[in-house]
Amino acid sequence: MLEASGRVYAFYRDGFRRMTLGKTLWKIILLKLVVMFAVLKLFFFPNYLNTNFLTDEQRADHVMEQITRQADRNN
Amino acid sequence: MIDVDFSLVNWSRAQFALTAMYHWIFVPLTLGLSFLCAFFETIYIKTGNEQWKSITRFWMTLFGINFAIGVATGIILEFQFGTNWSNYSWMVGDIFGAPLAIEGIFAFFLEATFFAVMFFGWDRVSKGFHCFSTWMVAIGSNLSAVWILVANGWMQNPVGMAFNPETVRFEMENFAAVIFNPVAVYKFTHTSSSGFLFASLFVLTISSWYLLKGRHIEMAKKSIIVASVFGLISSVFVAFTGDEAAFEVAQQQPMKLAAMEGLYKGEKGAGLVAMGILNSAKKPGDDQDAFLFEVKIPELLSLLANRKPGSFVPGVDDLVYGNKDENVMGVNAMMKKGQLALADLASYKKAKKEKNDVGAAEALTRFDVNKDYLGYGYLSTPEEAVPSVPIVFNAFHIMVVLGSLFPVIFAAFLFYALKGTLTEKRWLLPIGLISGLLGFLAQQSGWVVAEVGRQPWAIQGLMPVKVATTNLSTTSVQVTFFMFVAVFTLLLIAEISIMLKQISIGPEGH
């Protein structure tokens, strides 16, 4: 079991070491993930309902309020 | 009027469309190139010819570049759901949760595991296992696409669910109905096969460039033969699934079909527009001609929509204002039912707040009668249910014309490649060179038909986009829209420059 894990580890380690173009691609992937999760998600795309309401009940009430507003205008 | 700033809805839509269209540059290439790599490698295993290995590694490198730049761009769509479309996101969470979770598991276990073997495993695992891994990446990538398209299919034809006013959510009642929703089935088969076609055109484009430059001629010819066969088979499949998808549109979204064909007045034995110029001044309900010029194929639209020549196909006017003779309920009638559903839902909410259980139960019973028309209760005018006919019509016809051209291109390339005279056909190679761009145009047009064609709905008949959106400030959505433009442009420049560099190096530089 340990030997198999070691072989898998060596497979990935050597694979990453031997990369040429792959290194550039990994840099782009990592940069992209940092921009997406550490900048966009954190500062620009908070989950509106999770940020503004504490419980699912409050969230459901808010959405119900939003979707039934039109009923008053229809009357 | 609902208390929502329409410019906000449109900016949110524009941002979502921008992200989806950008994401859709990479996805079809991944879907198709993964299979092409599997074909190339299988030929290598079968023949033992090292040139096929070199071909496989070259296209695998381009596949890897495309995958790396495109990976995770779809997650941005999920960010937008939570921020810009919170009402929608809340209401569909129960339906989308399962398919998207399954997608994540598939993507992780199948793609991630075998992806490493595909790129790190040359000469380190057996040839057979390497080839198996390449096939697994291809199958895994395509299976991942199933789930997101199931979710999209559900939005176009919401089945297998019930609305729970207690949780204010559409809740899954029948998983099989959601998975085997005919709209989802044809959406997946049509979309994935169009990805195969696009990737085949991509191979044709690069190989044609090599032939025009007189470089890597043997590799280019061999690649063209495999891509042309795959592209030709995919073209037939795209046409078949496209026909079935259009039939489903006719059944579930007749307004979209009417827009696709610029059909305002319904007809028996309706013809399919082969080519035409729409009258841009035409509005629903007026007496102007819909076309300035048109050429129709008689009866074909009736056959496509109902599988019956001579049958009635409703037009925009029939669907908006109703047609008693043909038993078509108009949007105006649906709006009345939708308004009743909405009023009963509001009564339910009020009764629950007042802890009046009897009143809530009564309101719910009344709501159930008209709940299928809920979305129509939000419309201000019947004409609001009509999507942009010029955009949908033109996108549909661009897609169909290009879709009809591609098999001819593949057949010509295959014929001359097998005959051994491809390099002499200097007129054909420039066509091959631009064919990838045409494939891209067809891909994007297809999504415009699907998504603009279903407006104003986020969920067909149940929730218009203006109700789905979060009531944010327009400025915040504008800011993030332009940020995405910048980020996506940079990523696209990175992809194109890395890819061009690799193409210029050629098959020896993997």
Side-chain angles (χ1 to χ4, degrees):
Chain A
M1 181 69 185
L2 264 177
E3 195 189 335
S5 308
R7 284 217 309 266
V8 170
Y9 170 74
F11 177 83
Y12 277 89
R13 183 199 60 205
D14 295 346
F16 279 111
R17 275 185 188 162
R18 287 177 194 174
M19 282 189 313
T20 47
L21 173 66
K23 280 183 185 149
T24 310
L25 296 176
W26 270 109
K27 279 178 200 161
I28 292 174
I29 291 171
L30 292 175
L31 181 68
K32 187 168 60 175
L33 290 175
V34 168
V35 169
M36 276 170 58
F37 286 96
V39 181
L40 291 176
K41 178 68 183 159
L42 210 58
F43 297 106
F44 296 97
F45 287 93
N47 184 301
Y48 180 81
L49 294 176
N50 288 350
T51 311
N52 291 288
F53 303 96
L54 290 174
T55 64
D56 275 356
E57 199 182 341
Q58 288 174 349
R59 291 175 193 119
D61 285 347
H62 169 76
V63 174
M64 180 64 108
E65 192 61 43
Q66 293 287 309
I67 67 169
T68 52
R69 257 200 244 172
Q70 178 79 16
D72 302 332
R73 290 167 178 80
N74 287 342
N75 290 329
Chain B
M1 285 287 288
I2 197 161
D3 187 20
V4 167
D5 179 353
F6 276 84
S7 66
L8 167 69
V9 178
N10 288 331
W11 275 105
S12 298
R13 282 181 59 203
Q15 190 180 92
F16 199 85
L18 173 79
T19 315
M21 289 175 109
Y22 175 77
H23 184 54
W24 199 250
I25 296 170
F26 306 104
V27 177
L29 270 184
T30 299
L31 298 183
L33 267 184
S34 58
F35 271 115
L36 279 161
C37 289
F39 296 146
F40 292 132
E41 190 168 354
T42 305
I43 298 172
Y44 163 58
I45 301 280
K46 291 274 178 202
T47 61
N49 180 343
E50 286 295 313
Q51 196 181 14
W52 282 108
K53 183 180 177 184
S54 173
I55 291 172
T56 308
R57 293 194 72 168
F58 172 69
W59 292 111
M60 211 173 260
T61 304
L62 298 192
F63 167 80
I65 295 168
N66 178 68
F67 190 92
I69 307 285
V71 75
T73 49
I75 293 173
I76 298 172
L77 294 170
E78 289 183 34
F79 291 175
Q80 290 175 25
F81 280 139
T83 306
N84 298 353
W85 305 97
S86 61
N87 294 337
Y88 163 84
S89 184
W90 175 262
M91 292 180 77
V92 302
D94 190 70
I95 304 283
F96 283 16
L100 294 182
I102 295 170
E103 188 204 353
I105 293 165
F106 262 117
F108 185 77
F109 284 106
L110 266 173
E111 287 180 55
T113 309
F114 291 108
F115 205 86
V117 179
M118 192 173 161
F119 283 94
F120 297 162
W122 287 107
D123 306 322
R124 301 186 69 203
V125 297
S126 71
K127 282 182 187 174
F129 184 64
H130 192 278
C131 188
F132 171 76
S133 301
T134 308
W135 276 100
M136 283 297 104
V137 169
I139 292 166
S141 306
N142 281 269
L143 282 179
S144 294
V146 170
W147 305 104
I148 192 71
L149 293 170
V150 161
N152 185 280
W154 184 86
M155 290 158 72
Q156 319 259 354
N157 180 32
V159 291
M161 59 79 193
F163 178 66
N164 181 349
E166 192 76 38
T167 57
V168 200
R169 280 187 145 151
F170 295 106
E171 293 178 354
M172 181 110 63
E173 281 199 324
N174 186 342
F175 186 64
V178 174
I179 299 295
F180 296 109
N181 174 1
V183 173
V185 169
Y186 288 111
K187 188 159 279 292
F188 169 67
T189 49
H190 188 59
T191 306
S192 56
S193 53
S194 71
F196 303 161
L197 196 154
F198 178 42
S200 303
L201 292 169
F202 176 77
V203 171
L204 237 56
T205 293
I206 292 163
S207 302
S208 297
W209 184 76
Y210 281 140
L211 292 183
L212 282 166
K213 289 277 172 190
R215 294 174 57 195
H216 313 300
I217 290 172
E218 277 313 302
M219 185 214 84
K221 280 186 193 167
K222 283 186 162 75
S223 299
I224 282 173
I225 290 173
V226 175
S228 296
V229 171
F230 189 42
L232 210 48
I233 295 168
S234 301
S235 302
V236 175
F237 201 64
V238 165
F240 170 73
T241 52
D243 174 66
E244 291 293 342
F247 174 71
E248 288 303 328
V249 167
Q251 309 309 307
Q252 314 299 343
Q253 299 171 298
M255 186 69 85
K256 187 195 275 187
L257 185 79
M260 282 156 67
E261 277 299 297
L263 183 70
Y264 280 83
K265 302 241 180 285
E267 291 171 28
K268 282 183 173 162
L272 192 82
V273 179
M275 61 174 89
I277 299 171
L278 274 176
N279 175 3
S280 57
K282 171 74 182 160
K283 296 274 178 281
D286 70 16
D287 289 329
Q288 295 189 68
D289 287 335
F291 286 89
L292 301 176
F293 151 80
E294 64 180 321
V295 177
K296 277 187 172 180
I297 305 168
E299 300 281 350
L300 203 56
L301 185 60
S302 288
L303 194 63
L304 180 140
N306 303 317
R307 300 293 187 242
K308 215 165 132 191
S311 60
F312 181 77
V313 180
V316 170
D317 291 352
D318 305 285
L319 294 163
V320 170
Y321 307 111
N323 182 333
K324 276 189 187 156
D325 295 341
E326 297 296 337
N327 207 18
V328 177
M329 188 197 285
V331 172
N332 46 7
M334 293 187 199
M335 279 173 68
K336 284 181 189 144
K337 287 173 177 281
Q339 285 163 6
L340 288 173
L342 204 49
D344 292 329
L345 192 60
S347 302
Y348 168 83
K349 179 190 73 176
K350 190 165 173 267
K352 283 299 266 186
K353 243 183 204 168
E354 292 165 353
K355 304 203 183 301
N356 174 2
D357 289 342
V358 177
E362 283 172 0
L364 209 52
T365 308
R366 292 195 305 272
F367 170 74
D368 280 345
V369 176
N370 296 306
K371 64 182 178 185
D372 292 343
Y373 301 95
L374 178 66
Y376 291 91
Y378 298 104
L379 302 184
S380 310
T381 63
E383 291 80 9
E384 205 182 324
V386 184
S388 167
V389 176
I391 292 177
V392 179
F393 172 85
N394 288 316
F396 177 62
H397 285 81
I398 287 170
M399 179 184 73
V400 171
V401 167
L402 291 174
S404 310
L405 178 69
F406 296 144
V408 179
I409 295 176
F410 288 126
F413 268 88
L414 185 61
F415 177 75
Y416 290 118
L418 290 175
K419 213 176 157 197
T421 55
L422 191 57
T423 46
E424 296 157 26
K425 304 296 165 192
R426 306 304 284 182
W427 57 271
L428 186 58
L429 297 178
I431 296 173
L433 192 65
I434 61 159
S435 65
L437 201 61
L438 297 178
F440 172 72
L441 185 62
Q443 287 282 325
Q444 298 289 350
S445 299
W447 275 111
V448 168
V449 174
E451 299 305 300
V452 178
R454 75 174 154 106
Q455 295 303 316
W457 305 113
I459 306 169
Q460 183 70 32
L462 296 175
M463 182 182 240
V465 285
K466 67 182 181 183
V467 178
T469 192
T470 313
N471 214 347
L472 300 168
S473 86
T474 308
T475 314
S476 70
V477 183
Q478 286 171 327
V479 167
T480 47
F481 174 87
F482 288 110
M483 275 175 57
F484 281 140
V485 171
V487 171
F488 291 158
T489 307
L490 282 174
L491 280 171
L492 204 56
I493 291 170
E495 156 141 31
I496 292 170
S497 50
I498 295 171
M499 218 173 242
L500 287 180
K501 191 177 166 196
Q502 204 58 34
I503 292 164
S504 148
I505 293 168
E508 59 272 6
H510 39 71

